[in-house]
Amino acid sequence: MKRDNFATRLGLLAAAAGSAVGLGNIWKFPYITGKNGGAAFILVYLVCIVLIGVPVMLSEFALGRKTQANAVGAYKKLEPKKSWYLTGILSVLTAFIILSYYAIIAGWVFSYISKAITGKLTSVAPSALGDYFNGIISQTAQPLFWNFVVLAITAFVVIAGVKDGVEKYSKMLMPILFVLLIILMVRSVTLHGASKGLEFLFKPDFSQLTPASILEAVGHAFYSLSLGMGIIMTYGSYIKKEENLVSLSLQVTVLDTLVALMAGIVIFPAVFAYGLEPNSGPALIFVTLPAVFKSMPFGSFFATLFFALIAIAAITSTISLLEVVVACFTEQFSIERKKATILISIALFIVGIPSTLSFGVWSDVSIFGKSIFDAFDFLTSNIFLPFAGILVCIFVGWIWGSKNAAKEISSYGAFSFKLEKVYSFVVKVLAPVVIGMIFLYFTGIMDKLKSVGTMLPNIVL
């Protein structure tokens, strides 16, 4: 079976950046920034991106391009007699589960677009927006319908293939995303009182930082760049040998970070201008910002643009997540792309039903004290992703070997790779340790270890 590839560097960059740019940038990044004090958190986040994110991204790109195989096949090619392919299976499973609930959030966004266009969203009193949002997500039919719409759009693109689907539509969607961001930024910074939001975003207050903030910055850097879920590895397998992987990784990272910062410039000046709270959590874009748009001239127009922006970001990510699973099934089981995409999309919709209903009729169902949606999110974000990330680093650093990875990164000497020694140290030592700390922190193991540590002196005495 002849493998499809990206036809142009622009298409490759748009697709890779699109995989990284998603709800994590425009939905999650602003609210965790608000929760952790603003500018100081952003500085830590940028350091984490450079120190951990770029080296791990380089490793995944190198694995994919070297083997020209999907996330499972890559390990099978390099270590055919050992069980490292299980790491690939973990990445593909992670992508599948994330997409099953990620599409639900994207569905909420599409629902809000329809309500912004008709003016329903801005007709709701600010005090009632929380109940309005909860009323939407607690329904049965409407969230399932929009979940189906998101998956159908995603499947349509993926069925067309890498060049005619993923690349083509990424090249269309990413420029639109930046245009919408710029329009909304101009509107936000010209609001009366917007300067307080810019100060919050760019004037560091390190007293707001905690050890937990730092670990959250590392975790979000990892999540935001789509690491550990097979996306970068899969896209790497579609990259031509003459591409400069260092340059590509830096460009993807810059674009991803730029979108996150631009989203912050859209959101925080508006929030401060209307005297609302920047640390309102996940409800920031679904409850707080609609209150801003209601108070703003031409509110329905700007609300429509904003949720269209988020929808585009979400779709570029759902495309990449689905491509990971489809690439694995088409290559490992020789299933035709169209058939694989349809079957996987149906499976995603079915698996997503419990998560969708966990906000409504199944809200009383819990798994280890968490709703079904939150349990899936916890499993993938706090266990599967860091675990897969650690295994990728160990495999590249110690099994395949950082020297072999460096050769692939430099296209066997065609491009300069002056930081090879630094890269080797990060992949072999620093990244696994730091990602391991994320795993210990977010699973609660670190707190238990601390409590044991404080108890031991008393026991000894």
Side-chain angles (χ1 to χ4, degrees):
M1 185 186 297
K2 189 177 183 299
R3 297 186 91 248
D4 204 353
N5 285 297
F6 291 115
T8 64
R9 179 175 176 78
L10 177 61
L12 163 62
L13 181 60
S19 71
V21 173
L23 290 173
N25 300 77
I26 300 175
W27 177 53
K28 192 173 183 179
F29 180 77
Y31 84 68
I32 63 172
T33 299
K35 185 179 72 173
N36 290 289
F41 176 81
I42 291 174
L43 286 176
V44 174
Y45 171 77
L46 293 175
V47 171
C48 296
I49 284 279
V50 173
L51 279 184
I52 307 297
V54 173
V56 177
M57 177 179 282
L58 273 172
S59 300
E60 292 202 23
F61 269 139
L63 269 176
R65 190 174 72 172
K66 172 67 178 177
T67 58
Q68 297 288 288
N70 62 82
V72 175
Y75 293 100
K76 285 188 174 182
K77 282 194 174 184
L78 291 174
E79 281 292 329
K81 296 181 180 179
K82 295 184 180 178
S83 300
W84 277 98
Y85 69 90
L86 294 174
T87 303
I89 292 176
L90 176 62
S91 295
V92 173
L93 178 62
T94 302
F96 180 88
I97 296 175
I98 288 175
L99 182 52
S100 75
Y101 66 80
Y102 192 99
I104 296 167
I105 305 171
W108 299 344
V109 174
F110 274 78
S111 174
Y112 262 52
I113 293 174
S114 67
K115 289 168 176 55
I117 291 172
T118 58
K120 288 181 181 178
L121 188 59
T122 50
S123 67
V124 181
S127 60
L129 279 166
D131 291 336
Y132 182 74
F133 174 60
N134 290 329
I136 290 172
I137 66 175
S138 62
Q139 293 179 31
T140 298
Q142 189 178 153
L144 287 173
F145 168 76
W146 287 113
N147 187 20
F148 175 83
V149 169
V150 170
L151 290 173
I153 293 170
T154 306
F156 172 79
V157 174
V158 173
I159 284 172
V162 177
K163 183 172 65 177
D164 295 327
V166 176
E167 179 176 356
K168 176 183 175 181
Y169 289 98
S170 294
K171 284 164 69 175
M172 289 170 53
L173 292 172
M174 289 304 291
I176 296 172
L177 182 143
F178 274 97
V179 169
L180 291 178
L181 267 173
I182 292 168
I183 293 171
L184 288 165
M185 279 172 57
V186 171
R187 171 67 279 198
S188 187
V189 299
T190 53
L191 290 170
H192 180 70
S195 59
K196 291 182 181 178
L198 293 174
E199 183 177 316
F200 175 81
L201 200 56
F202 294 114
K203 186 178 180 180
D205 177 6
F206 290 99
S207 67
Q208 297 286 326
L209 276 183
T210 65
S213 301
I214 295 170
L215 287 174
E216 189 156 15
V218 180
H220 187 68
F222 197 79
Y223 183 89
S224 179
L225 292 176
S226 300
L227 305 175
M229 56 187 87
I231 293 174
I232 301 301
M233 200 181 302
T234 302
Y235 278 9
S237 72
Y238 302 138
I239 297 176
K240 297 172 183 176
K241 293 291 184 180
E242 56 268 26
E243 286 292 344
N244 186 333
L245 292 186
V246 175
S247 172
L248 176 65
S249 296
L250 290 173
Q251 288 171 347
V252 170
T253 303
V254 168
L255 285 173
D256 175 70
T257 308
L258 181 62
V259 168
L261 291 174
M262 290 172 76
I265 295 171
V266 169
I267 291 169
F268 290 116
V271 167
F272 276 87
Y274 288 97
L276 300 172
E277 290 298 321
N279 58 346
S280 55
L284 183 64
I285 67 167
F286 292 108
V287 177
T288 305
L289 284 177
V292 170
F293 293 126
K294 180 176 176 60
S295 305
M296 188 184 291
F298 305 105
S300 292
F301 172 72
F302 287 107
T304 303
L305 289 187
F306 180 75
F307 286 105
L309 164 71
I310 302 175
I312 290 171
I315 289 295
T316 57
S317 292
T318 59
I319 290 167
S320 56
L321 286 165
L322 183 56
E323 178 62 28
V324 170
V325 188
V326 169
C328 177
F329 275 76
T330 55
E331 293 175 18
Q332 296 303 127
F333 303 106
S334 299
I335 303 174
E336 191 263 331
R337 173 174 278 266
K338 182 176 180 180
K339 182 178 179 182
T341 304
I342 292 172
L343 290 174
I344 292 165
S345 298
I346 292 171
L348 283 163
F349 181 77
I350 293 170
V351 171
I353 290 174
S355 293
T356 305
L357 300 183
S358 68
F359 294 95
V361 293
W362 287 2
S363 59
D364 58 339
V365 178
S366 65
I367 302 172
F368 297 110
K370 298 180 182 295
S371 70
I372 299 171
F373 181 98
D374 288 340
F376 275 142
D377 182 35
F378 182 86
L379 180 68
T380 53
S381 299
N382 301 328
I383 299 177
F384 283 5
L385 276 179
F387 194 45
I390 292 169
L391 291 174
V392 167
C393 291
I394 293 172
F395 183 84
V396 172
W398 300 96
I399 308 302
W400 182 31
S402 58
K403 287 188 177 180
N404 288 324
K407 288 178 183 177
E408 182 62 41
I409 289 167
S410 68
S411 295
Y412 293 85
F415 301 103
S416 174
F417 188 34
K418 295 178 181 178
L419 296 176
E420 180 182 338
K421 290 184 179 179
V422 176
Y423 163 78
S424 179
F425 171 74
V426 170
V427 172
K428 294 171 83 171
V429 181
L430 183 62
V433 169
V434 173
I435 298 169
M437 290 175 65
I438 297 170
F439 172 78
L440 292 174
Y441 173 74
F442 284 110
T443 54
I445 296 174
M446 188 177 287
D447 288 336
K448 290 180 180 178
L449 291 174
K450 285 180 181 178
S451 63
V452 170
T454 55
M455 288 170 60
L456 281 176
N458 296 326
I459 295 171
V460 172
L461 292 171

